[in-house]
Structures are given as structure tokens and as C-alpha cells.
Amino acid sequence: MAIRNSLTGQFLRRSSVAGARLMSSSSSWFRSIEPAPKDPILGVTEAFLADQSPNKVNVGVGAYRDDHGKPVVLECVREAERRVAGSQFMEYLPMGGSIKMIEESLKLAFGDNSEFIKDKRIAAVQALSGTGACRLFAAFQQRFHPNTQIYIPVPTWANHHNIWRDAGVPMKTFRYYHPESRGLDFSGLMDDIKNAPDGSFFLLHACAHNPTGVDPSEEQWREISSQIKAKGHFPFFDMAYQGFASGDPERDAKAIKIFLEDGHLIGLAQSYAKNMGLYGQRAGSLSVLCEDEKQAVAVKSQLQLIARPMYSNPPLHGALIVSTVLGDPDLKKLWLKEVKVMADRIIGMRTTLRENLEKKGSTLPWQHITNQIGMFCYSGLTPEQVDRMTNEFHIYMTRNGRISMAGLNTGNVGYVADAIHEVTKSF
Amino acid sequence: MASSVLSAASHSVSPSCSLSTTHKGKPMIRDNTLGFHRGPNSFSSSRSRGRISMAVAVNVSRFEGIPMAPPDPILGVSEAFKVDNSDVKLNLGVGAYRTEELQPYVLNVVKKAENLMLERGDNKEYLPIEGSAAFNKATAELLLGADNPAIKQQRVATVQGLSGTGSLRLGAALIERYFPGAKVLISAPTWGNHKNIFNDASVPWSEYRYYDPKTVGLDFEGMIEDIKSAPEGSFILLHGCAHNPTGIDPTPEQWEKIADVIQEKNHIPFFDVAYQGFASGSLDEDAASVRLFVARGMEVLVAQSYSKNLGLYAERIGAINVVSSSPESAARVKSQLKRIARPMYSNPPVHGARIVADVVGNPVLFNEWKAEMEMMAGRIKNVRQQLYDSITSKDKSGKDWSFILKQIGMFSFTGLNTNQSDNMTNKWHVYMTKDGRISLAGLSLAKCEYLADAIIDSYHNVS
């Protein structure tokens, strides 16, 4: 993937609207604005909704579903909402957001006994879920390290490209997914880290990589950390699935712990969309680890200065839920139990899907289905095979072969396995 | 009062961020020496543990060159107020509504809407990028009127934004992307964050005359002259009603003339409507300026906020509306606004949007809401009247204080200068911003006489 240069983009945009300001008063100001490209994932869901088949399955969905295919609101969240209802004024939060939520978020990510927390060496702000956190950091990188590049894994969550591009940060890529083995291209990844200019920024998925589901092993994380440190790169972690990936929040934050033990100062985006099911409440946080408290105060002040002209201050309701759940021992215990239920159901679907495929007599290797982690499975299906899944079996997924395990349940997993076998078997 | 600190965080003047000349692009804080600190371990802590790095450590943090951002002046006012031990202290820097007892207020209709949500057991699913459809519909209709031809013809692109600020930012980003180099004219003075928003969106701006310190009123001639002088096709940022920070609004006749000049110069109006219903107590009256422009067939951008009129402050609910001349271009505009929002925060918060949709979309709650807005606006009007009465009964100098009654909304520009404002704080324990703005929301009827004494003393005895 070529470097995306913001100057080039600016020039192209300027050319396309060169005549904008020469319009007569009867012309539309917005005539020259072209439609934005369709969102491919939304397109999948729209096509699914339009399908009349009683057998249709949506495995393009980006949110958790229960075994009946229904959205889930966790009981700990319902209880937290009952507690906060009527007892809070809707006063503006500070620009940095809810202090209580930030405190609990840092403990969740870095551990209750973290030295960074005790020494007040973390600049942390509440953000509009994971996306808002990434965008704040990208704008921060652009402002204070304008000559650096962000290295983004191939592939990654599609919005990552938009986030850093709109923030004006040049992008490069590093190898990550290995199509032949449907696993990690570890040597390619290490080579790219080694070859990047010293002091580059690296975007890393902390766990449950989206869209592949492929994560480094603990040993691999240690080597990645060591190589990044040797090059003086800055690691920025996007952790959207802590607790949701394996059912154990500490285990899911293992990569971060490894980097901290190695002495890295990291950036971290956290999201409560998946692990607490707070999707539309937009609860998240951005942390930047610093040398000392003075630096943390300075960094935080600049993050707030970036947030203020973006949205002034972050939304309250989701932050109240998070701080109530994580701040109350009983609710936190209930949350841990509920997040494990979600993780276990997805792990169970992975196992069942693989078993059904192998039972069907498929001779292809399917162990990647159970090796991969989190909500998404990079199945390895080709775009043509995906089209057949849709046209012949009414199973909807993105054309890169990504399957959302959340869309599978005990009622449809057999059917999906049959379909996959049909489109992949050789005659 | 911790809440006053929180409440002062937004919609307030930030003099330290003000720029008086034409400004292009993003102000860049660069430390050119930073590049020389780059090297192995520049992101590493000196407390590293575990495996030993093969490289020689250079323990210089990548964030060493980052300076402290300037403190927020409004927060400073509230913080100083908090630590003052005086029994008579007044916080007139507060940017949110207060009751006569000077307490935060959650509207009854908001509580009812929240209870409805709890009873329904609503899920927490993602909203579309453009926000809640029910919210967007209710919002456009509230602003323009449900029978407005622009709505019927589907010429309005409405996208839910993070309150007024987020909506302004989406509009600014649209300008940067599709009208590169176009200039935005903003009033002098204006809400401090306006400049931050256009700066960070890389949109050049300059000021047009608005406030006349001699009359503590509108410099209408200067305003018209500056809009007329602006390059053709400029964006003109207009406060729909209840101008912040001055409280000074054009009259209906003046709005007509402003529209004339904007049409004549082929400018495009960009309205900031943060106080609809809250300013006068009437939703229709407060939306009259926007509706006038739309009725003339003009294309407009309008940023809306529900922070003040529904008291949803921290829920961050607002919208950006683009009224276009055709439904086709409105659809294209909407798609591009979504494209801008997606990499900023993906999709907007759901809680407050549901409250708005439930209140505005339910006739019973809607009527109760109108009554509550009238009550809030009425309290502020009463305070204005009482303050004016107190000042005029005490001040024998003959000075004309009628501007206090003419101003609209939460804020009042007193005409006090920096030294006089300092005297208000140091001698009278009245906390306000140094531009002489007071927030009437922080004033109760019982305190009007005290404040009148302070203003008269500061005006006459401090130069």
C-alpha cells in the first residue's frame, strides 16, 4: 500500500472543486459534492435485510448477538442504569471526561497495582469509544510528531485508515496476516518493524485482531516488543475487546503487560462497546504513558485542547454505566461473569463450526477457525466463494471472507458449515 | 460547588485562544529540536524491567517537547469561585442554567423520557453514522417547522452531532473538504471555541464587526459593511439567537437586511443555534432568523444543540443541518458528512438522542417541554428586569443601562472593562470573565441588588 500523502489528497480535492466559488447565485452550493462510497459492511446488512429467505444468516454483523440472534444488554448494565437514573444532573463533564470512568479504565488495562497509576504518569481522557480514542491520538501524533508515520497492519479494521488519514498522518503498512497459513506472518512483521525508520508509530491490536482474529502468541509478543524497543518505535495499542476475546480481561491485556515490563511508554485506546455491550453509548478512553507526572499533565492538557474543538466534552451516560459497573465489587463480579459467557459462546461456535466442517468430510485445514480469537474469523473464502454463499445459501458476509462468529448460533451453525463445505469442496 | 466547575467547561469565552487577524490553517506547535532526540528507546521509560535491550539506551521521552496547553479561562473563573470563602460570592461565569436556588436543573420531561427508556428496556446498539432517524426527523422539524417546504421536498441533510460543538466541527470539516480556501467570517466577539473549531479544521477565518462597545449594542452598519466587503462566496457564521457572549441579537428588520447582503454577495450562511426555545421561551420565535433565510430559498448550514433548551449538557446531543436547493445534493452532502464523522467517532451517542426523540416526538411531553422552556427563559428575563431595576434605582448618573433589557439569552455583556471586571471579583467576590460578560443563569432575584451595587461601583469608580 502506497503512502497516502495528505498534500496529494488536498491537491486532488482542490482540483475537483476548482469552480465551486464561481457559481451564480441560482446554482447550488453543493452541486459539486459527490456521493461518498457505500460502506461495504452496511451493504451486507442491507442486502441481508432485503432477503426474503427464511434460511438467511447475517455473519457480517459487527456486534454481539445471543444464541437467538438477538442484541444483548448485560444485566450489570441494566442494574447500573437503574442506579444512575434520576440521581445525576446532566452537567457537562470536564473536557477530559469522567474522572471515575478513567480511573477504572486505567486499572482494568494496567492492573490495580500499576506503578504508572500510582505515580500519576498516565495522561488519560475519556473518548468517544475506541474510534474517538484513536482519532484523538492520531490528531495528537499529527500535531506533536508531524514528520512521523503510522504503521498499520495488513489488514486492519477499515476505519483505521480513515482515522489517521483524516488526521493528516501519513500511513505505511506492515505485514501481519499470512494468507497461506491463515495465521500470522511473523517473520514479515518483524522485518517490517526492523526496516521502518527509527521512531515510527506502530498501531497494534492488543487482542482479537479485527478482521482476521489472528493474534501473536506470548512469545511472539515478547519478540515484537523487543524489536520495537530496539528501533525506538512508539507502540499504540487499539484494545477494543478486553475481556470479550478470551473471557479473561487480564489475559487479554497480556501484550500490554509485556510491553510495560519491557519499559515501553505506550498509547492505548480502550472501548466498552463490545465487552460491556455499550455500543451506542460511545464509552471509551485514550491513555498515553509518560515519563513523569509533570509530563502526563502536559500531555493531557494538549489532548483536551484537541478534544475541545471536536466535541467540547464527552457523553455522560455511558461513562456513568462503566464507572458504576467497574466501581462496584458486586457489579464488577457480575460483569466478569457475563463477559465470559459472551466469550465462551463465541469460542463454542468456533469449535462447533470446525467440527461440523470436518464431520462433513471437508479435507481442507480448518484449524485456523479455532486458532483465531475474538468476534471475527478470517475464513479464507475467496470473493467468488463468498458470492456463492450469498447467492445460493443466503449467507451474508463481507467479500474478504470475514465471518462474524457473533452471527452464528446453535440454530444456524450447521447450515453455515454445510454451505462452506459446498462452496469449498473440490469435485 | 463542584458542578459549577463542570458546567463552565463549554460555551464560554476563551480570550487566550482569540486571534484578531485573518488566520489560515492550523496553528502548529512545533518543537524543532525534537527531531534530534529521536533514537533507540526514545519511547521507553527509565524504569525498564525484564529483558535487557541490545541497543544503547537514550532515555529521552518522545513527549518531552510537549508544553502545557494554556489554562481554560472559564474553568479558572469557576475554580477561583470555589476557593473563595466569602458568603456573598457569585459565580457569573457558569455556562449552564441554574434554578432560582442556583442549583443545576434536570427538566421534568427529561426525567420522564428516561423513565420511559428504562421501562421499554431499550438496547444499546450502534446508531447509524448519521444518528437516530427519529431524532434527525424531530430535530429538522423543530428547527424549520414540520410544514417547511425544504423538509417536504427532502432538501435537508440532518446528521446527529456531538452537541453544538461536534455539529459545528462537522460543518467546518465539510467546508475544508469541499470549499478549500473559502473563508469563514465570524462575529467580533464570538464564542471562543468557534475559532478553535475552524482552526483545527484548517478553515481560514476573519472577523466581522458585531458588538459596539459605545452603545453596548449591535454595530449593524459595521456588520453589514464587513459582510459586503468579504470575498464573494464566503461563509458567514451567524448566531441564530441569543448571541454568545454578548446577548445582542439583530431585530427582524435587521435580519432581513443581513439576508439581503448575503444573497447579494452569494455568501452562504452558517447558523449556530444553541438556544432555540431557551432564548425567548418560544421555539418559533428563536428559529425565525434561520427560517427567514430558508424561506428566501437560500442554502444554509445550521448547527443545533440541545444542551441548554433540554438541559442535556453532558449527553452531547445536537445536529448539523444542511439545507440544499435539491434533494439530490442534500443526499450527497449527507453521505459526505457521514464520511467525515466515521473516522472521528464512528457513530454518535444514543442516550440523549432517544430523550430528544421521545420528548419532541410525543405531543404531551412536547407541550410540557415548551412550558419548562418558558419557565427557564422567564426566570432569566425576570432576573434581567430585576437587575435593570436595581441598577437604575441606585445609579444617579443618568447612564443608559437599557441594553441589559435588550439583550437576549443567558449572557449579558455589561460593558465593564478588564480592570472593572477585576474589581468585581476582588472587591465584591463576583466571578465573571474579563470581557465583562456575566451569565444571568448564575444570578438569583435575591442577589440582583448586590450585583447592582457591584456593577455601579466598578463602572464609576474604576477606570
Side-chain angles (χ1 to χ4, degrees):
Chain A
M1 187 178 299
I3 296 175
R4 195 186 301 269
N5 188 293
S6 61
L7 278 181
T8 302
Q10 185 72 267
F11 175 77
L12 291 176
R13 286 200 298 268
R14 189 176 299 270
S15 298
S16 69
V17 294
R21 297 204 280 134
L22 301 178
M23 291 182 292
S24 68
S25 58
S26 61
S27 296
S28 167
W29 273 100
F30 309 112
R31 175 169 297 170
S32 60
I33 294 183
E34 298 179 352
K38 273 265 189 174
D39 185 292
I41 294 177
L42 275 186
V44 168
T45 299
E46 282 166 9
F48 167 79
L49 291 174
D51 191 324
Q52 306 290 335
S53 167
N55 299 320
K56 65 180 183 179
V57 179
N58 183 6
V59 286
V61 63
Y64 182 78
R65 295 286 182 262
D66 67 9
D67 204 51
H68 306 285
K70 295 293 196 298
V72 172
V73 179
L74 302 183
E75 184 51 40
C76 61
V77 167
R78 291 286 190 213
E79 176 57 29
E81 278 202 312
R82 284 189 282 267
R83 295 188 190 185
V84 305
S87 68
Q88 299 280 337
F89 291 109
M90 292 177 174
E91 292 291 296
Y92 290 123
L93 291 173
M95 280 182 285
S98 158
I99 293 171
K100 180 65 174 167
M101 175 193 166
I102 290 170
E103 287 173 355
E104 296 297 339
S105 298
L106 296 184
K107 288 195 280 185
L108 188 68
F110 299 113
D112 288 357
N113 300 314
S114 162
E115 283 183 29
F116 279 93
I117 296 177
K118 287 175 181 170
D119 297 342
K120 298 181 182 172
R121 293 166 52 204
I122 307 178
V125 294
Q126 183 189 335
L128 274 290
S129 205
T131 302
C134 287
R135 178 55 177 267
L136 277 184
F137 185 80
F140 177 80
Q141 178 186 353
Q142 196 282 328
R143 187 166 295 191
F144 292 100
H145 295 288
N147 300 314
T148 57
Q149 301 163 124
I150 182 73
Y151 277 75
I152 288 178
V154 180
T156 191
W157 179 45
N159 210 17
H160 282 146
H161 298 100
N162 303 327
I163 290 167
W164 265 268
R165 179 201 64 219
D166 278 13
V169 177
M171 285 178 285
K172 278 191 161 176
T173 58
F174 64 91
R175 283 168 283 176
Y176 190 85
Y177 177 69
H178 191 244
E180 291 75 18
S181 66
R182 296 172 190 169
L184 185 69
D185 183 358
F186 182 64
S187 62
L189 186 159
M190 293 294 281
D191 280 351
D192 290 344
I193 295 175
K194 194 175 307 181
N195 294 329
D198 288 0
S200 296
F201 285 65
F202 271 77
L203 171 64
L204 305 168
H205 298 226
C207 58
H209 181 273
N210 176 3
T212 68
V214 174
D215 284 347
S217 68
E218 179 174 329
E219 294 70 35
Q220 287 169 332
W221 272 124
R222 293 192 186 282
E223 293 196 48
I224 293 167
S225 172
S226 178
Q227 184 62 61
I228 285 184
K229 192 168 182 206
K231 295 285 297 186
H233 296 327
F234 183 87
F236 181 77
F237 283 92
D238 188 354
M239 181 158 70
Y241 300 99
Q242 187 185 6
F244 184 86
S246 71
D248 180 347
E250 274 188 46
R251 175 174 161 186
D252 289 343
K254 183 66 175 178
I256 289 171
K257 187 175 178 182
I258 288 170
F259 272 65
L260 265 55
E261 285 171 350
D262 263 3
H264 287 279
L265 298 178
I266 69 168
L268 172 68
Q270 284 172 279
S271 167
Y272 291 97
K274 306 300 197 304
N275 59 8
M276 249 184 228
L278 293 181
Y279 303 99
Q281 302 293 358
R282 318 308 297 136
S285 67
L286 167 65
S287 319
V288 178
L289 272 56
C290 298
E291 276 284 323
D292 51 37
E293 181 180 356
K294 179 184 176 188
Q295 187 178 101
V297 171
V299 169
K300 176 169 179 172
S301 71
Q302 297 289 356
L303 291 174
Q304 291 177 163
L305 204 63
I306 292 168
R308 179 149 176 72
M310 207 171 271
Y311 46 79
S312 279
N313 41 72
L316 172 69
H317 194 73
L320 286 177
I321 295 174
V322 172
S323 54
T324 301
V325 170
L326 295 183
D328 178 277
D330 291 332
L331 282 184
K332 183 171 184 182
K333 198 175 302 177
L334 176 57
W335 172 63
L336 289 169
K337 179 181 166 193
E338 292 187 287
V339 74
K340 189 170 193 306
V341 165
M342 292 194 287
D344 285 351
R345 191 185 91 69
I346 286 180
I347 293 167
M349 285 300 103
R350 289 184 177 278
T351 304
T352 306
L353 180 65
R354 178 181 170 183
E355 284 172 352
N356 282 357
L357 278 163
E358 289 168 346
K359 247 184 282 182
K360 269 286 165 182
S362 173
T363 57
L364 297 172
W366 295 109
Q367 59 266 33
H368 61 287
I369 295 180
T370 48
N371 286 344
Q372 290 168 5
I373 297 166
M375 182 182 291
F376 300 112
C377 171
Y378 233 40
S379 63
L381 295 181
T382 67
E384 296 72 34
Q385 289 167 335
V386 169
D387 288 342
R388 287 188 60 199
M389 294 280 286
T390 301
N391 299 331
E392 299 173 31
F393 299 96
H394 309 277
I395 297 172
Y396 291 82
M397 61 178 69
T398 48
R399 292 190 95 235
N400 57 6
R402 188 191 82 168
I403 295 175
S404 169
M405 305 303 295
L408 294 182
N409 51 61
T410 52
N412 66 19
V413 62
Y415 175 74
V416 173
D418 290 354
I420 293 176
H421 179 52
E422 275 301 310
V423 305
T424 55
K425 70 185 181 185
S426 49
F427 299 90
Chain B
M1 192 194 315
S3 59
S4 65
V5 176
L6 305 182
S7 63
S10 186
H11 268 253
S12 47
V13 172
S14 301
S16 63
C17 300
S18 297
L19 296 166
S20 56
T21 58
T22 300
H23 193 93
K24 286 183 186 295
K26 184 173 309 189
M28 203 63 67
I29 303 175
R30 290 175 194 266
D31 183 344
N32 290 320
T33 66
L34 213 53
F36 300 103
H37 292 272
R38 196 177 304 175
N41 302 305
S42 59
F43 298 131
S44 302
S45 161
S46 58
R47 306 174 184 228
S48 67
R49 298 179 296 277
R51 77 181 61 215
I52 299 172
S53 167
M54 298 296 292
V56 176
V58 179
N59 293 323
V60 178
S61 166
R62 202 60 192 272
F63 307 124
E64 198 56 41
I66 294 179
M68 278 295 293
D72 186 284
I74 300 299
L75 278 183
V77 169
S78 293
E79 281 162 14
F81 170 80
K82 256 175 44 176
V83 300
D84 189 329
N85 293 321
S86 166
D87 289 340
V88 295
K89 66 180 182 178
L90 272 178
N91 185 3
L92 303 186
V94 62
Y97 180 79
R98 293 285 182 267
T99 64
E100 176 66 18
E101 296 74 36
L102 303 185
Q103 294 300 317
Y105 180 66
V106 177
L107 279 72
N108 291 322
V109 287
V110 168
K111 292 174 185 169
K112 290 183 181 181
E114 281 203 311
N115 285 332
L116 282 177
M117 275 191 281
L118 278 181
E119 287 163 21
R120 285 196 306 252
D122 288 340
N123 68 39
K124 310 294 180 205
E125 294 297 284
Y126 288 125
L127 290 179
I129 299 170
E130 68 268 33
S132 154
F135 165 85
N136 285 341
K137 178 177 186 294
T139 286
E141 291 179 356
L142 194 78
L143 175 72
L144 299 173
D147 294 332
N148 196 301
I151 291 185
K152 289 186 177 309
Q153 295 158 18
Q154 295 179 344
R155 292 192 283 109
V156 187
T158 304
V159 170
Q160 184 185 334
L162 276 293
S163 199
T165 303
S167 305
L168 287 160
R169 179 59 175 265
L170 289 176
L174 186 76
I175 293 172
E176 188 274 334
R177 193 165 293 193
Y178 283 95
F179 303 90
K183 176 178 290 189
V184 174
L185 265 71
I186 59 186
S187 61
T190 193
W191 178 46
N193 211 17
H194 282 148
K195 296 167 181 175
N196 302 328
I197 290 167
F198 290 109
N199 283 343
D200 278 17
S202 302
V203 174
W205 56 267
S206 66
E207 288 179 319
Y208 62 86
R209 282 169 283 174
Y210 190 84
Y211 169 68
D212 182 356
K214 290 184 290 294
T215 63
V216 196
L218 181 65
D219 181 359
F220 183 64
E221 298 307 320
M223 178 184 184
I224 291 294
E225 199 172 309
D226 289 345
I227 295 178
K228 199 173 290 191
S229 305
E232 196 161 300
S234 296
F235 287 80
I236 315 296
L237 184 66
L238 303 162
H239 299 228
C241 60
H243 183 274
N244 176 5
T246 67
I248 297 158
D249 283 349
T251 65
E253 296 71 36
Q254 288 170 331
W255 274 120
E256 293 276 2
K257 290 193 166 65
I258 293 166
D260 288 343
V261 172
I262 288 179
Q263 275 185 306
E264 171 190 328
K265 293 286 299 192
N266 203 32
H267 296 327
I268 182 164
F270 189 165
F271 281 94
D272 186 356
V273 177
Y275 301 99
Q276 186 187 359
F278 183 83
S280 71
S282 162
L283 288 159
D284 293 328
E285 183 176 325
D286 290 343
S289 58
V290 173
R291 293 177 184 178
L292 163 69
F293 281 60
V294 173
R296 285 175 170 233
M298 297 168 75
E299 294 184 306
V300 305
L301 283 77
V302 188
Q304 270 170 294
S305 169
Y306 288 94
S307 289
K308 304 300 196 305
N309 58 7
L310 255 178
L312 292 180
Y313 303 100
E315 300 297 352
R316 316 308 300 140
I317 303 305
I320 177 71
N321 303 269
V322 180
V323 182
S324 189
S325 62
S326 79
E328 292 79 22
S329 59
R332 293 197 301 269
V333 166
K334 183 164 186 170
S335 72
Q336 295 293 352
L337 287 170
K338 288 163 59 177
R339 193 184 195 185
I340 291 166
R342 176 83 169 136
M344 210 171 267
Y345 46 79
S346 276
N347 42 71
V350 65
H351 189 71
R354 286 197 174 125
I355 294 175
V356 172
D358 284 343
V359 170
V360 178
N362 177 318
V364 174
L365 290 183
F366 184 63
N367 285 326
E368 290 181 20
W369 176 41
K370 286 199 283 187
E372 284 194 271
M373 270 191 292
E374 285 173 21
M375 179 274 295
M376 290 193 289
R379 187 185 98 70
I380 291 181
K381 285 176 185 172
N382 288 343
V383 162
R384 282 188 181 281
Q385 184 69 56
Q386 181 67 37
L387 178 62
Y388 172 82
D389 291 346
S390 296
I391 291 180
T392 53
S393 71
K394 290 171 181 288
D395 182 24
K396 305 305 179 187
S397 71
K399 171 180 164 58
D400 180 11
W401 295 93
S402 62
F403 60 83
I404 294 178
L405 294 180
K406 291 173 185 168
Q407 291 166 359
I408 298 169
M410 182 185 292
F411 301 112
S412 175
F413 240 34
T414 59
L416 298 178
N417 63 34
T418 302
N419 288 341
Q420 291 164 342
S421 300
D422 284 341
N423 185 64
M424 297 281 284
T425 301
N426 299 330
K427 178 174 177 181
W428 295 88
H429 306 277
V430 174
Y431 290 81
M432 56 199 280
T433 48
K434 293 186 185 302
D435 55 2
R437 186 195 83 166
I438 60 176
S439 169
L440 295 171
L443 187 57
S444 61
L445 292 171
K447 295 282 192 177
C448 286
E449 204 168 317
Y450 176 82
L451 180 60
D453 287 338
I455 290 177
I456 292 171
D457 172 67
S458 300
Y459 180 79
H460 289 299
N461 298 331
V462 181
S463 59

